[in-house]
mmCIF file with all atom_site columns, all heavy atoms in Angstrom:
data_model
loop_
_atom_site.group_PDB
_atom_site.id
_atom_site.type_symbol
_atom_site.label_atom_id
_atom_site.label_alt_id
_atom_site.label_comp_id
_atom_site.label_asym_id
_atom_site.label_entity_id
_atom_site.label_seq_id
_atom_site.pdbx_PDB_ins_code
_atom_site.Cartn_x
_atom_site.Cartn_y
_atom_site.Cartn_z
_atom_site.occupancy
_atom_site.B_iso_or_equiv
_atom_site.pdbx_formal_charge
_atom_site.auth_seq_id
_atom_site.auth_comp_id
_atom_site.auth_asym_id
_atom_site.auth_atom_id
_atom_site.pdbx_PDB_model_num
ATOM 1  N N   . VAL A 1 64 ? 19.433 -2.221 -13.117 1.00 0.00 ? 64 VAL A N   1
ATOM 2  C CA  . VAL A 1 64 ? 19.216 -2.066 -11.674 1.00 0.00 ? 64 VAL A CA  1
ATOM 3  C C   . VAL A 1 64 ? 19.301 -3.423 -10.985 1.00 0.00 ? 64 VAL A C   1
ATOM 4  O O   . VAL A 1 64 ? 19.933 -3.558 -9.924  1.00 0.00 ? 64 VAL A O   1
ATOM 5  C CB  . VAL A 1 64 ? 17.870 -1.373 -11.381 1.00 0.00 ? 64 VAL A CB  1
ATOM 6  C CG1 . VAL A 1 64 ? 17.567 -1.365 -9.881  1.00 0.00 ? 64 VAL A CG1 1
ATOM 7  C CG2 . VAL A 1 64 ? 17.868 0.047  -11.917 1.00 0.00 ? 64 VAL A CG2 1
ATOM 8  N N   . ALA A 1 65 ? 18.688 -4.441 -11.569 1.00 0.00 ? 65 ALA A N   1
ATOM 9  C CA  . ALA A 1 65 ? 18.725 -5.774 -10.963 1.00 0.00 ? 65 ALA A CA  1
ATOM 10 C C   . ALA A 1 65 ? 20.164 -6.273 -10.837 1.00 0.00 ? 65 ALA A C   1
ATOM 11 O O   . ALA A 1 65 ? 20.556 -6.807 -9.789  1.00 0.00 ? 65 ALA A O   1
ATOM 12 C CB  . ALA A 1 65 ? 17.894 -6.754 -11.795 1.00 0.00 ? 65 ALA A CB  1
ATOM 13 N N   . LEU A 1 66 ? 20.968 -6.097 -11.882 1.00 0.00 ? 66 LEU A N   1
ATOM 14 C CA  . LEU A 1 66 ? 22.347 -6.577 -11.850 1.00 0.00 ? 66 LEU A CA  1
ATOM 15 C C   . LEU A 1 66 ? 23.199 -5.797 -10.854 1.00 0.00 ? 66 LEU A C   1
ATOM 16 O O   . LEU A 1 66 ? 23.984 -6.389 -10.104 1.00 0.00 ? 66 LEU A O   1
ATOM 17 C CB  . LEU A 1 66 ? 22.966 -6.510 -13.244 1.00 0.00 ? 66 LEU A CB  1
ATOM 18 C CG  . LEU A 1 66 ? 22.374 -7.471 -14.276 1.00 0.00 ? 66 LEU A CG  1
ATOM 19 C CD1 . LEU A 1 66 ? 22.971 -7.208 -15.663 1.00 0.00 ? 66 LEU A CD1 1
ATOM 20 C CD2 . LEU A 1 66 ? 22.589 -8.926 -13.866 1.00 0.00 ? 66 LEU A CD2 1
ATOM 21 N N   . LYS A 1 67 ? 23.045 -4.478 -10.810 1.00 0.00 ? 67 LYS A N   1
ATOM 22 C CA  . LYS A 1 67 ? 23.834 -3.674 -9.873  1.00 0.00 ? 67 LYS A CA  1
ATOM 23 C C   . LYS A 1 67 ? 23.400 -3.931 -8.433  1.00 0.00 ? 67 LYS A C   1
ATOM 24 O O   . LYS A 1 67 ? 24.245 -4.019 -7.533  1.00 0.00 ? 67 LYS A O   1
ATOM 25 C CB  . LYS A 1 67 ? 23.713 -2.186 -10.211 1.00 0.00 ? 67 LYS A CB  1
ATOM 26 C CG  . LYS A 1 67 ? 24.412 -1.790 -11.483 1.00 0.00 ? 67 LYS A CG  1
ATOM 27 C CD  . LYS A 1 67 ? 25.907 -1.976 -11.394 1.00 0.00 ? 67 LYS A CD  1
ATOM 28 C CE  . LYS A 1 67 ? 26.561 -0.669 -11.079 1.00 0.00 ? 67 LYS A CE  1
ATOM 29 N NZ  . LYS A 1 67 ? 27.993 -0.763 -10.907 1.00 0.00 ? 67 LYS A NZ  1
ATOM 30 N N   . ALA A 1 68 ? 22.096 -4.064 -8.190  1.00 0.00 ? 68 ALA A N   1
ATOM 31 C CA  . ALA A 1 68 ? 21.619 -4.349 -6.831  1.00 0.00 ? 68 ALA A CA  1
ATOM 32 C C   . ALA A 1 68 ? 22.143 -5.707 -6.368  1.00 0.00 ? 68 ALA A C   1
ATOM 33 O O   . ALA A 1 68 ? 22.650 -5.842 -5.244  1.00 0.00 ? 68 ALA A O   1
ATOM 34 C CB  . ALA A 1 68 ? 20.098 -4.317 -6.792  1.00 0.00 ? 68 ALA A CB  1
ATOM 35 N N   . ALA A 1 69 ? 22.041 -6.708 -7.222  1.00 0.00 ? 69 ALA A N   1
ATOM 36 C CA  . ALA A 1 69 ? 22.532 -8.039 -6.877  1.00 0.00 ? 69 ALA A CA  1
ATOM 37 C C   . ALA A 1 69 ? 24.046 -8.015 -6.660  1.00 0.00 ? 69 ALA A C   1
ATOM 38 O O   . ALA A 1 69 ? 24.550 -8.633 -5.712  1.00 0.00 ? 69 ALA A O   1
ATOM 39 C CB  . ALA A 1 69 ? 22.160 -9.042 -7.953  1.00 0.00 ? 69 ALA A CB  1
ATOM 40 N N   . SER A 1 70 ? 24.769 -7.311 -7.498  1.00 0.00 ? 70 SER A N   1
ATOM 41 C CA  . SER A 1 70 ? 26.221 -7.214 -7.346  1.00 0.00 ? 70 SER A CA  1
ATOM 42 C C   . SER A 1 70 ? 26.586 -6.606 -5.995  1.00 0.00 ? 70 SER A C   1
ATOM 43 O O   . SER A 1 70 ? 27.501 -7.081 -5.319  1.00 0.00 ? 70 SER A O   1
ATOM 44 C CB  . SER A 1 70 ? 26.821 -6.362 -8.474  1.00 0.00 ? 70 SER A CB  1
ATOM 45 O OG  . SER A 1 70 ? 26.661 -6.992 -9.722  1.00 0.00 ? 70 SER A OG  1
ATOM 46 N N   . THR A 1 71 ? 25.864 -5.584 -5.595  1.00 0.00 ? 71 THR A N   1
ATOM 47 C CA  . THR A 1 71 ? 26.119 -4.935 -4.311  1.00 0.00 ? 71 THR A CA  1
ATOM 48 C C   . THR A 1 71 ? 25.776 -5.867 -3.156  1.00 0.00 ? 71 THR A C   1
ATOM 49 O O   . THR A 1 71 ? 26.536 -5.982 -2.191  1.00 0.00 ? 71 THR A O   1
ATOM 50 C CB  . THR A 1 71 ? 25.305 -3.631 -4.212  1.00 0.00 ? 71 THR A CB  1
ATOM 51 O OG1 . THR A 1 71 ? 25.677 -2.770 -5.299  1.00 0.00 ? 71 THR A OG1 1
ATOM 52 C CG2 . THR A 1 71 ? 25.553 -2.921 -2.896  1.00 0.00 ? 71 THR A CG2 1
ATOM 53 N N   . MET A 1 72 ? 24.633 -6.542 -3.245  1.00 0.00 ? 72 MET A N   1
ATOM 54 C CA  . MET A 1 72 ? 24.197 -7.432 -2.167  1.00 0.00 ? 72 MET A CA  1
ATOM 55 C C   . MET A 1 72 ? 25.085 -8.668 -2.050  1.00 0.00 ? 72 MET A C   1
ATOM 56 O O   . MET A 1 72 ? 25.353 -9.141 -0.947  1.00 0.00 ? 72 MET A O   1
ATOM 57 C CB  . MET A 1 72 ? 22.748 -7.860 -2.398  1.00 0.00 ? 72 MET A CB  1
ATOM 58 C CG  . MET A 1 72 ? 21.744 -6.729 -2.237  1.00 0.00 ? 72 MET A CG  1
ATOM 59 S SD  . MET A 1 72 ? 20.083 -7.161 -2.805  1.00 0.00 ? 72 MET A SD  1
ATOM 60 C CE  . MET A 1 72 ? 19.582 -8.290 -1.498  1.00 0.00 ? 72 MET A CE  1
#
Side-chain angles (χ1 to χ4, degrees):
V64 173
L66 292 174
K67 290 295 262 177
S70 294
T71 301
M72 291 169 72

